[in-house]
Amino acid sequence: MASWWLSPDLSSVRGARRLTREKLADWGFDEQVEVAELLVSELVANALDHAYGQVRLSFFAEDGLLRCEVEDANPELPTMRTVDVDAERGRGLFLVDVLSGSWGSVHTRRGKAIWFELPAFAHAEADSPDALAVAA
């Protein structure tokens, strides 16, 4: 597990992307970095836009899954909306829904956490003969 408190300003989005790249590289999840970085930046930006106070970014790796959580102090759970084609905003949760294995939100003592999960191993690796031999 790894967790950081982010400051409540937009520079935290860039910092969250950097933390994501560094931690996933440390853990050997190089194949998931791009998607995780995009989804983390969406969730952190949403938290800074729709909540207040500090935001906490956390990663967990367990049972073949990489889980990311972004927690803020606003208890209102997010809802995915249909967005007009010309809209410049409002697609963050759609991206999370499409690119993650699963996602959701839960109430916390502070407010809420929005999470997503990615497979700990890339699909290409799982299909390789070496990965299949290890699994057998």
Side-chain angles (χ1 to χ4, degrees):
M1 178 194 163
S3 187
W4 305 268
W5 287 102
L6 307 174
S7 63
D9 59 68
L10 288 178
S11 69
S12 291
V13 176
R14 180 178 49 228
R17 288 194 304 262
R18 180 184 50 77
L19 291 168
T20 300
R21 281 191 310 273
E22 290 173 359
K23 183 48 62 183
L24 270 57
D26 286 349
W27 286 353
F29 297 139
D30 298 325
E31 296 291 326
Q32 292 77 7
V33 169
E34 286 185 39
V35 171
E37 187 178 357
L38 171 65
L39 299 184
V40 162
S41 65
E42 289 293 336
L43 294 184
V44 170
N46 282 351
L48 294 170
D49 194 29
H50 300 290
Y52 40 85
Q54 285 187 303
V55 172
R56 183 167 61 181
L57 171 63
S58 302
F59 290 106
F60 308 86
E62 188 174 27
D63 296 330
L65 291 175
L66 174 66
R67 182 179 175 119
C68 169
E69 291 183 0
V70 175
E71 182 182 8
D72 62 53
N74 183 349
E76 185 178 341
L77 298 179
T79 57
M80 194 164 39
R81 295 175 270 140
T82 303
V83 179
D84 187 73
V85 174
D86 297 329
E88 294 181 12
R89 301 173 48 119
R91 292 183 178 81
L93 285 180
F94 176 75
L95 288 173
V96 172
D97 186 54
V98 170
L99 296 176
S100 69
S102 61
W103 73 277
S105 57
V106 294
H107 287 108
T108 65
R109 287 185 299 175
R110 282 189 66 239
K112 70 171 172 306
I114 304 172
W115 58 268
F116 67 84
E117 294 177 337
L118 297 171
F121 302 101
H123 297 291
E125 290 176 11
D127 293 337
S128 75
D130 293 338
L132 293 174
V134 170

